Amino acid sequence: MNNSVILEIRAGAGGEESALFAARLAAMYRRYAARRGWSLAAINESKSDLGGYKEAIFEVRGQGVYDDLRYEVGVHRIQRVPATEKQGRIHTSTASVAVLPFVERTGVII
């Protein structure tokens, strides 16, 4: 059981809307970590012009972190009508999530 991971969230297709979606995902993972009693620390955050995330990298520590987050890996998609849309068209935005477990260092003697 791994108790520490790197969680990466990156905006994908959809321009500024995807950056806003990535920020919503980051907020969701922050709340989830807090409810589980895990610690979540930002390693790197790259903000977009409207306050979303182009990229957000966190270190998450706690009991069973990897076991709970490993199924979150992949591309997430949202479809919505943004507030800036005048004609009511639906926009599709994506963000990718990566969960990288920390592994114990081992020495190999050859």
Side-chain angles (χ1 to χ4, degrees):
M1 179 164 19
N2 201 317
N3 294 324
S4 192
V5 300
I6 297 291
L7 175 67
E8 291 185 3
I9 303 168
R10 297 179 190 272
E16 195 64 45
E17 282 295 315
S18 68
L20 294 172
F21 178 46
R24 296 285 300 263
L25 284 174
M28 178 192 72
Y29 288 121
R30 283 183 197 270
R31 285 191 305 271
Y32 185 70
R35 285 186 180 168
R36 300 288 302 202
W38 300 337
S39 67
L40 187 140
I43 295 174
N44 184 33
E45 296 175 324
S46 176
K47 297 263 187 181
S48 68
D49 294 334
L50 294 179
Y53 281 128
K54 294 177 186 175
E55 170 187 82
I57 303 173
F58 305 102
E59 180 179 352
V60 186
R61 292 184 181 273
Q63 189 66 33
V65 170
Y66 181 72
D67 290 337
D68 281 357
L69 293 180
R70 65 183 169 177
Y71 299 109
E72 296 296 314
V73 172
V75 176
H76 298 257
R77 179 181 78 147
I78 188 171
Q79 291 182 299
R80 66 182 190 151
V81 178
T84 58
E85 175 58 48
K86 303 285 188 231
Q87 298 176 6
R89 294 177 292 198
I90 296 173
H91 289 246
T92 301
S93 302
T94 62
S96 65
V97 175
V99 177
L100 309 165
F102 278 107
V103 293
E104 295 293 324
R105 288 186 182 233
T106 58
V108 178
I109 299 172
I110 299 179

